[in-house]
Amino acid sequence: MTRIDAKFADLKARGQKAFVAYVMAGDPDYDTSLEIVRGLPGAGVDVIELGLPFTDPMADGPTIQLAGQRALEGGMTLARTLQLAAAFREGDDTTPIVLMGYYNPIYSMGVDAFLAAAKDAGIDGLIIVDLPPEEDSELCLPANAAGLNFIRLATPTTDDARLPRVVENTSGFVYYVSITGITGAAEADAGDVAPEVARIQKASGLPVIVGFGINTPEKSRAIAEVADGVVVGSAIVSKIGNCDSPGDVLAFVKTLANGAHTTD
């Protein structure tokens, strides 16, 4: 059982939904980023999504693109991202960390070397947005064999014919992208999300976490009512990009987490 599996089992036992926070590793700089990441569990975050900076983030909107650019300009690399995760692990051995990004930096390091380094750093799962199920042998299957959850994205365009292939080797949870398009582009609607979540739960047997278009405590609560949890990324990254202090960022995160945790 991974930390992700243990976390969702614990949340289910307590009748609580998950709150997942995305931050870009190294944004706006390594030290500030580490301070924010270390503060996330205390702000109510159940799972940390740690963004891996990349030069061509095709699925991300301007807010996260700029965060990645700031991190890269500050010297952030895959190796330093894993270093940040390892530093977090020195004080927290229970909060799951999911590394989210693109395949190129992992390919450049080498899959075997990356998986060994990720395990050593305390990474629990991967979301690699540009590796489709047809490429599972490339990273998904080796990651699962190494004890890492490989988390797949499902979208409003993932129809019943495609869904079984998408969830076939997925573990940990399924990330449902609630809107079509890039991050930060529109708002999620609980009425549209609910039947899709039920469909994916039935097909996968896994928790379904909804992301994209969630930016307020009210929206966090509304989506958590119909899913197993919510992910907030762009709204948090925007606070960091506006030079809010780590304390202000974490206070904002806490309001979002409280929304997800106060479902009926």
Side-chain angles (χ1 to χ4, degrees):
M1 178 178 286
T2 66
R3 291 186 187 92
I4 296 170
D5 298 327
K7 174 61 70 173
F8 280 102
D10 177 62
L11 289 167
K12 184 176 181 179
R14 292 189 283 119
Q16 195 170 58
K17 302 303 180 69
F19 181 73
V20 183
Y22 171 98
V23 294
M24 180 67 71
D27 178 36
D29 56 70
Y30 180 92
D31 290 338
T32 304
S33 181
L34 179 56
E35 182 179 352
I36 291 169
V37 172
R38 281 176 167 161
L40 291 175
V45 173
D46 298 301
V47 178
I48 297 168
E49 273 188 23
L50 192 61
L52 174 61
F54 182 53
T55 53
D56 188 22
M58 65 187 80
D60 295 312
T63 298
I64 292 179
Q65 286 185 21
L66 288 171
Q69 185 176 334
R70 291 191 296 267
L72 290 169
E73 289 173 352
M76 208 62 183
T77 61
L78 173 53
R80 292 204 78 201
T81 299
L82 296 177
Q83 178 186 336
L84 189 150
F88 170 83
R89 278 281 169 248
E90 292 172 2
D92 187 317
D93 194 43
T94 58
T95 304
I97 301 176
V98 175
L99 188 67
M100 184 171 187
Y102 300 83
Y103 184 48
N104 186 277
I106 295 169
Y107 177 81
S108 297
M109 178 181 282
V111 168
D112 291 343
F114 164 73
L115 291 174
K119 286 286 289 183
D120 286 346
I123 300 296
D124 303 292
L126 305 173
I127 300 175
I128 308 302
V129 300
D130 55 347
L131 276 182
E134 287 72 21
E135 304 296 335
D136 275 358
S137 61
E138 192 81 18
L139 180 62
C140 173
L141 297 180
N144 286 338
L148 294 171
N149 291 125
F150 199 90
I151 296 148
R152 192 76 72 186
L153 304 177
T155 74
T157 60
T158 306
D159 61 20
D160 288 340
R162 178 65 172 167
L163 185 58
R165 185 70 180 90
V166 168
V167 303
E168 182 178 0
N169 294 312
T170 298
S171 61
F173 62 90
V174 179
Y175 186 137
Y176 178 64
V177 177
S178 64
I179 59 172
T180 54
I182 55 176
T183 58
E187 291 194 3
D189 180 85
D192 295 334
V193 165
E196 292 299 299
V197 166
R199 183 171 69 96
I200 297 165
Q201 287 170 332
K202 182 177 179 180
S204 68
L206 293 170
V208 177
I209 309 303
V210 177
F212 286 47
I214 302 167
N215 49 26
T216 66
E218 295 76 20
K219 185 67 70 173
S220 180
R221 176 173 182 171
I223 298 298
E225 292 276 7
V226 300
D228 297 299
V230 301
V231 185
V232 178
S234 292
I236 297 170
V237 171
S238 179
K239 289 282 187 183
I240 297 170
N242 288 335
C243 301
D244 286 19
S245 70
D248 288 340
V249 172
L250 293 170
F252 174 64
V253 171
K254 188 169 181 61
T255 67
L256 297 165
N258 287 344
H261 291 154
T262 55
T263 57
D264 294 332

